[in-house]
Amino acid sequence: MKYMIASDIHGSAYYCGLLLDEYRKSGASRLILLGDILYHGPRNDLPRDYDPKAVISMLNGIKDQIYSVRGNCDTEVDQMVLEFPVLADYGLLVVNGLTIYLTHGHIYHKDHLPPVQKGDILLHGHTHILTAEREGDITILNPGSVSIPKGGNPPTFAILEDQVFRILDFEGNKLKEMNLGE
């Protein structure tokens, strides 16, 4: 199965539109959102074309294709307007024998691990910095940010297919790739 993974849309209709265009072109069967969907947060500048209502409409249009976890900017009010679950603090995904712990990253991250075991994968957003690295026996992945990237990175998303995790920008450039089965 092919998954598209994104984090930190922060209400940007422009980048949400680009993300959904890439999603449709990718052939992915699910879109995994790692939180911070509608609100930009008090520490961030407004992203390009900040329009949470447009983002709501775009994402609700594919509500049956989305897995999502709660970000630190997501609230019960967001759940009232989004037609797919967004308030889970974490999710578990088992793909081709790999256990992937999905979370936003504001609670669990490489310096404060959730209950993972040797060989497991922690997939989170929150930092807005793309990551694909091994920390001891655990793999840490972060697709970066769709709309407010940090660390000199462009806006990014990821694709997970056949145990290969690729981080891409919206021009189609592959920025990082990791075979998770090795």
Side-chain angles (χ1 to χ4, degrees):
M1 187 172 275
K2 187 177 196 178
Y3 298 93
M4 177 177 276
I5 303 154
S7 191
D8 300 283
I9 297 170
H10 287 292
S12 171
Y14 175 79
Y15 285 108
C16 187
L18 289 179
L19 179 70
L20 294 182
D21 287 346
E22 291 297 323
Y23 175 69
R24 288 181 194 97
K25 288 190 285 188
S26 76
S29 59
R30 295 283 181 175
L31 174 60
I32 298 172
L33 297 177
L34 299 174
D36 286 0
I37 298 169
L38 300 178
Y39 181 54
H40 64 89
R43 296 179 297 178
N44 295 313
D45 292 332
L46 286 174
R48 180 173 177 178
D49 295 343
Y50 180 69
D51 187 351
K53 287 182 180 179
V55 172
I56 292 165
S57 178
M58 286 187 263
L59 294 177
N60 281 344
I62 61 164
K63 64 185 176 188
D64 60 334
Q65 298 169 46
I66 296 175
Y67 294 152
S68 183
V69 295
R70 179 182 69 87
N72 59 302
C73 293
D74 300 324
T75 68
E76 291 177 15
V77 135
D78 299 333
Q79 187 61 82
M80 293 170 67
V81 295
L82 291 168
E83 298 172 0
F84 52 92
V86 297
L87 295 179
D89 286 327
Y90 70 94
L92 291 174
L93 188 63
V94 179
V95 179
N96 298 327
L98 301 172
T99 300
I100 304 171
Y101 190 99
L102 310 168
T103 192
H104 180 60
H106 63 295
I107 298 172
Y108 293 115
H109 43 79
K110 73 178 183 177
D111 296 324
H112 183 236
L113 293 173
V116 292
Q117 298 178 4
K118 179 180 179 179
D120 286 352
I121 298 161
L122 174 61
L123 176 56
H124 70 83
H126 182 61
T127 64
H128 300 218
I129 298 174
L130 56 95
T131 304
E133 62 190 22
R134 291 204 165 78
E135 292 278 332
D137 296 331
I138 307 299
T139 301
I140 309 291
L141 304 174
N142 185 324
S145 173
V146 170
S147 69
I148 308 173
K150 295 182 180 174
N153 293 303
T156 54
F157 61 93
I159 297 287
L160 175 60
E161 182 178 26
D162 298 327
Q163 296 190 341
V164 176
F165 182 82
R166 292 185 321 273
I167 301 173
L168 306 159
D169 66 17
F170 289 103
E171 274 84 57
N173 299 307
K174 179 174 50 175
L175 305 177
K176 284 196 180 257
E177 181 174 284
M178 179 182 273
N179 187 327
L180 304 177
E182 294 179 347

